[in-house]
Amino acid sequence: MVKPQVERQNTPSMEDYLEAIAMLRGEDKVARVSQISQKLKVKMPSVTSALRKLSEKELVLHQKYGYVELTTEGDKMAKDIIRRHKALSRFFTEILDIERETAEEDACKIEHVISPLGLERIIKFIEFVEACPQGEVNLPKRYKHYLEPGELPEDCLGKGLRERK
Amino acid sequence: MVKPQVERQNTPSMEDYLEAIAMLRGEDKVARVSQISQKLKVKMPSVTSALRKLSEKELVLHQKYGYVELTTEGDKMAKDIIRRHKALSRFFTEILDIERETAEEDACKIEHVISPLGLERIIKFIEFVEACPQGEVNLPKRYKHYLEPGELPEDCLGKGLRERK
DNA sequence: AGCATTTGTTAGTTACGCCTAACAATGTTA
DNA sequence: TAACATTGTTAGGCGTAACTAACAAATGCT
């Protein structure tokens, strides 16, 4: 992998752990090693060692054989990761019309590497598209029409690509 | 990092090397270890060891102290990576209005992790937006207007988000 | 309470991908 | 062509992050 020019404070892996813990704390009540292991499809020893690192960074609280809590700092980070994830996932499903599962997978990977600006612009873009349908039929629907029957909408004033049937 | 459910044939790092070699072969005439090293901001020994791996996989031809060639297979892969890169880079610059450098960085990272479907949909989306301006002012310009003065275009029929000044 | 199952930990291994230091080949030029 | 600079390689090390095997604690059941 190419060396990041600005050292990331947390690796994608660590972010996945934080995210998983936060999500479990939402769904169930407590996060346990076994749960995290299942959610991330990783064996338990991997979780134990990740938790040790996150503890050292004061992002989680975890004592042996106990359950896992996020510190204030860890929770803040987790919330941000989830925010990124949700934005990307919405973009893929709502704008690009990709089915949930693939959208989730892509979001899961991209959330760790996209720049803050890239993310903000995607959020703004969703906002914009939803706020501004531009005609009776909104952009996602029009785009879907382009994907599906493969035709441009009639009220489309564009030149170029007209010949593509 | 989360274990990929389907084992990727090449790692992001290997893809970066293939991409760099193909790009050098375009720009200059021959790809040398030093050039690859510079382009990827990695020391030369890292390049040597990467080339060994790529040679084993029959993706590059490289004999000691010689320059580097792509095999037919390697070239095919490289071309696909570059295709992904270009699509993403266009999306970030032309649709999301992100400056070249950040767009390139994001493209560089995302190209390795996005799903084939995600990529195709982004390509289609660019196509669609360019083919279908929807009004005198095309979508990117309208979006930019939303970003810049922070206002929705006048001809926007949307509800919601109206109150955001 | 006692034993079994589940859950979690430690220890040790592997692979990747970068690094530095040292050495070797190549190329340049006096 | 001999000396020097550049380029490339090997060897060895480090951090991350996964894994298995073996052991230990906690839980659950009778």
Side-chain angles (χ1 to χ4, degrees):
Chain A
M1 191 55 164
V2 148
K3 223 183 358 180
Q5 41 289 82
V6 170
E7 226 51 60
R8 245 190 142 67
Q9 67 262 35
N10 288 297
T11 63
S13 170
M14 291 303 112
E15 290 191 348
D16 281 333
Y17 284 104
L18 287 174
E19 189 181 12
I21 293 163
M23 278 166 60
L24 285 168
R25 297 274 303 137
E27 293 165 20
D28 304 334
K29 40 253 125 201
V30 291
R32 323 257 259 88
V33 170
S34 56
Q35 307 268 284
I36 299 166
S37 157
Q38 271 185 269
K39 174 147 282 193
L40 294 180
K41 286 169 185 149
V42 145
K43 302 294 188 237
M44 286 201 292
S46 306
V47 178
T48 302
S49 99
L51 290 178
R52 195 170 36 246
K53 273 177 212 157
L54 290 171
S55 291
E56 274 161 23
K57 294 188 177 179
E58 319 240 337
L59 298 172
V60 307
L61 298 170
H62 175 232
Q63 44 218 27
K64 280 190 192 175
Y65 301 97
Y67 45 71
V68 182
E69 294 279 9
L70 292 169
T71 63
T72 310
E73 182 65 9
D75 190 62
K76 218 173 67 188
M77 280 192 185
K79 287 219 171 67
D80 189 65
I81 297 157
I82 289 171
R83 186 181 75 96
R84 284 183 252 158
H85 181 98
K86 283 192 174 148
L88 289 164
S89 160
R90 270 186 81 190
F91 176 76
F92 284 118
T93 53
E94 293 174 25
I95 309 284
L96 295 187
D97 192 37
I98 290 175
E99 59 277 8
R100 179 111 253 129
E101 213 201 330
T102 308
E104 288 298 325
E105 283 170 20
D106 277 358
C108 260
K109 309 210 202 77
I110 296 173
E111 70 192 18
H112 304 298
V113 300
I114 194 169
S115 66
L117 183 62
L119 207 246
E120 292 323 312
R121 286 294 164 87
I122 280 176
I123 290 170
K124 284 274 181 203
F125 190 78
I126 299 170
E127 250 177 61
F128 170 69
V129 166
E130 299 205 329
C132 189
Q134 293 183 311
E136 296 114 54
V137 189
N138 67 14
L139 178 72
K141 285 212 186 104
R142 296 157 70 91
Y143 173 59
K144 239 173 260 194
H145 178 76
Y146 176 66
L147 284 178
E148 241 328 270
E151 282 165 11
L152 292 170
E154 279 135 33
D155 60 342
C156 171
L157 306 173
K159 70 283 168 226
L161 290 188
R162 259 295 154 66
E163 65 283 5
R164 71 161 23 242
K165 210 293 208 69
Chain B
M1 191 57 163
V2 148
K3 223 183 0 180
Q5 40 291 77
V6 169
E7 225 52 59
R8 244 192 142 65
Q9 68 262 36
N10 288 297
T11 62
S13 170
M14 291 303 113
E15 289 192 348
D16 281 332
Y17 284 103
L18 287 175
E19 187 179 14
I21 294 163
M23 279 166 60
L24 286 168
R25 299 272 304 136
E27 292 164 22
D28 306 332
K29 40 255 128 200
V30 291
R32 324 259 257 88
V33 170
S34 56
Q35 307 269 286
I36 299 167
S37 155
Q38 272 186 268
K39 173 147 285 195
L40 294 180
K41 286 170 185 145
V42 145
K43 301 296 186 227
M44 285 201 292
S46 305
V47 177
T48 302
S49 97
L51 291 178
R52 193 169 39 245
K53 272 177 213 158
L54 291 171
S55 292
E56 276 161 21
K57 295 188 177 179
E58 319 241 336
L59 298 172
V60 307
L61 298 168
H62 176 231
Q63 46 216 26
K64 279 189 192 177
Y65 301 98
Y67 45 72
V68 183
E69 295 277 10
L70 292 169
T71 63
T72 310
E73 182 65 9
D75 190 63
K76 218 174 65 188
M77 279 192 186
K79 287 219 169 69
D80 189 65
I81 297 157
I82 289 170
R83 186 181 75 95
R84 284 182 253 159
H85 181 99
K86 283 191 174 150
L88 289 164
S89 160
R90 271 187 79 191
F91 176 76
F92 284 118
T93 54
E94 294 174 26
I95 309 285
L96 295 187
D97 192 38
I98 291 176
E99 59 278 8
R100 177 112 253 127
E101 213 201 330
T102 307
E104 288 298 325
E105 283 170 21
D106 277 358
C108 260
K109 308 210 203 78
I110 295 172
E111 70 193 18
H112 303 298
V113 300
I114 195 169
S115 66
L117 182 62
L119 207 247
E120 293 323 311
R121 286 295 163 86
I122 281 175
I123 290 170
K124 285 274 181 204
F125 190 79
I126 299 169
E127 251 176 61
F128 170 70
V129 165
E130 298 202 329
C132 189
Q134 295 183 309
E136 294 114 55
V137 188
N138 65 15
L139 179 71
K141 285 212 186 103
R142 297 157 69 91
Y143 173 58
K144 241 174 259 194
H145 179 74
Y146 176 66
L147 283 179
E148 241 329 91
E151 281 165 13
L152 292 170
E154 279 136 34
D155 59 344
C156 172
L157 305 175
K159 70 283 167 227
L161 290 187
R162 258 295 155 65
E163 66 284 7
R164 73 162 21 246
K165 209 291 208 69

